Amino acid sequence: MKIYKATVKNINIAAKLLLKGGIVSFPTETVYGLGALACNKEAIERVYKVKGRPKNNPLIVHVYNLEQILSITENIPNEAYKLIRKYWPGPLTLILKYKNSSNISSIARANLKTVAVRIPNHPVALKLLKVVNQPLIAPSANISEHLSPTKASHVLKDLGNNLNDKKDMILDGGSTSIGIESTVIDFTGNKPTVLRPGGLNITPINKYVKVSYIESNANNTTPISPGLFKKHYAPNASLRLNAKFPLEGEAWLGFGKDPKNIDNFTKMNLSLTADLDEAAMNLFAMLRLLDKKNIKKIAIKEIPNKKIGIAINDRLIRGSSK
């Protein structure tokens, strides 16, 4: 399987492959997605198979504009419109009531009466969605439960052997700018609820809509959103969180100033300046690099549980689950 630079020509080729039932990996501002037509049952089943993803784990539908959102959802609350106007395109996914007259595959929705939707904020993703002119499902382009991909090379390593050279394509749009999946908010219950913290900080959302959030939210049986399984986003190595110093046999993943006397350890740092946005951008890529060194255990320094650090800690907690 080859990687193709996301030129206008290759984006047009990718769109044709999608319309013929193929699978295309493309960059978003969060992570790389594995795209297929949201109405194509066979293509969606292939996505589940390629990823090894459980069928009860619904997929996010990616669209180009609000008109497409309105074609697949109904009874959108006014509070949801506030976030749509403020944050789309962007790293925000909304769970809304599904419009039965739409043609989004029930497989993509895990047979639920709701649908997860977002408009990504990446030029390649938006161009591809515009050319295809149909909603696409696009879960992270990795093996299910493993680290999400933030580079095209990550997609190739994880899924290259499972994709078809003639039917499928990997588009390279460089490293993703956020590095953490989208924030997911459910608007189908009694009050707006954050199901998954992500690339959009929860704090500013509350300026427009009051949302509730329960940390370490997990649902392995009937999740209505991706990212709710207890074990998810996991490297091959085991993780020890909130560490002050690495133990013998552990690699070190720091944040901010590193402790002294760790020169003999394999070490990386998410952000030497303690920048949470930089840490989020580096998280999955650095864990992948440590995995390549066949590290068995990784000690990770405490990450402040604020702003996008909430999403980082969510990923680390799920990544360390058994």
Side-chain angles (χ1 to χ4, degrees):
M1 191 72 190
K2 290 176 59 179
I3 293 176
Y4 294 85
K5 191 169 180 61
T7 62
V8 172
K9 178 182 177 181
N10 286 334
I11 290 173
N12 287 330
I13 293 172
K16 291 178 180 178
L17 290 174
L18 287 166
L19 291 170
K20 292 179 180 179
I23 295 174
V24 172
S25 176
F26 60 91
T28 73
E29 76 279 29
T30 56
V31 299
Y32 272 73
L34 195 64
L37 290 183
C39 64
N40 190 314
K41 175 183 175 182
E42 290 75 20
I44 295 169
E45 286 181 334
R46 275 192 65 217
V47 168
Y48 274 105
K49 184 177 180 180
V50 164
K51 282 178 57 65
R53 184 185 180 100
K55 288 286 186 71
N56 66 334
N57 195 0
L59 305 171
I60 296 174
V61 177
H62 292 59
V63 299
Y64 177 70
N65 55 26
L66 182 58
E67 182 180 354
Q68 290 183 333
I69 293 289
L70 296 175
S71 72
I72 63 177
T73 64
E74 60 184 13
N75 302 324
I76 301 177
N78 289 331
E79 288 182 312
Y81 274 117
K82 290 180 183 178
L83 299 188
I84 288 171
R85 287 191 290 268
K86 177 64 180 177
Y87 294 115
W88 276 356
L92 172 66
T93 293
L94 302 183
I95 307 294
L96 301 170
K97 291 183 178 179
Y98 176 68
K99 182 180 288 187
N100 289 328
S101 60
S102 176
N103 65 350
I104 303 299
S105 171
S106 61
I107 299 174
R109 297 180 285 108
N111 295 310
L112 298 169
K113 295 181 179 180
T114 59
V115 62
V117 292
R118 90 174 182 105
I119 302 177
N121 188 19
H122 191 287
V124 174
L126 289 172
K127 176 65 176 176
L128 183 63
L129 285 162
K130 184 177 182 180
V131 175
V132 173
N133 198 30
Q134 291 190 47
L136 299 176
I137 56 98
S140 55
N142 61 321
I143 299 297
S144 186
E145 294 188 351
H146 290 189
L147 299 169
S148 295
T150 57
K151 299 179 180 180
S153 58
H154 298 164
V155 181
L156 181 64
K157 184 180 186 302
D158 281 11
L159 304 179
N161 291 334
N162 298 336
L163 296 175
N164 187 307
D165 283 326
K166 296 181 179 179
K167 293 182 179 180
D168 309 323
M169 195 172 191
I170 300 174
L171 287 173
D172 185 356
S175 297
T176 59
S177 59
I178 294 178
I180 292 281
E181 298 82 358
S182 61
T183 299
V184 180
I185 303 180
D186 179 18
F187 275 95
T188 63
N190 293 328
K191 58 182 179 180
T193 303
V194 176
L195 299 182
R196 178 181 73 181
L200 180 61
N201 296 339
I202 297 174
T203 302
I205 291 174
N206 278 294
K207 295 179 181 178
Y208 303 93
V209 175
K210 295 299 180 183
V211 298
S212 63
Y213 170 57
I214 301 174
E215 289 191 35
S216 302
N217 184 17
N219 188 329
N220 284 351
T221 55
T222 56
I224 65 170
S225 162
L228 298 188
F229 281 19
K230 182 180 179 181
K231 180 178 174 60
H232 209 354
Y233 315 111
N236 294 324
S238 63
L239 304 180
R240 183 168 66 89
L241 309 184
N242 303 320
K244 297 184 183 300
F245 195 88
L247 303 177
E248 185 177 351
E250 290 182 329
W252 174 253
L253 187 58
F255 175 78
K257 188 177 180 180
D258 279 330
K260 297 179 180 179
N261 303 318
I262 63 168
D263 289 343
N264 292 331
F265 293 86
T266 300
K267 58 183 180 177
M268 300 192 79
N269 194 299
L270 293 169
S271 173
L272 287 167
T273 59
D275 184 316
L276 286 169
D277 290 325
E278 182 183 16
M281 185 173 61
N282 287 333
L283 179 64
F284 290 137
M286 286 189 173
L287 287 173
R288 281 177 176 269
L289 286 171
L290 291 174
D291 262 351
K292 284 179 67 175
K293 298 177 182 293
N294 293 318
I295 299 296
K296 302 300 181 184
K297 299 178 182 179
I298 303 172
I300 302 178
K301 189 176 180 181
E302 182 179 3
I303 306 295
N305 202 44
K306 62 181 182 180
K307 299 181 178 180
I308 202 169
I310 296 172
I312 295 173
N313 283 318
D314 172 81
R315 305 309 187 268
L316 290 174
I317 290 169
R318 294 182 195 275
S320 63
S321 295
K322 302 298 183 182

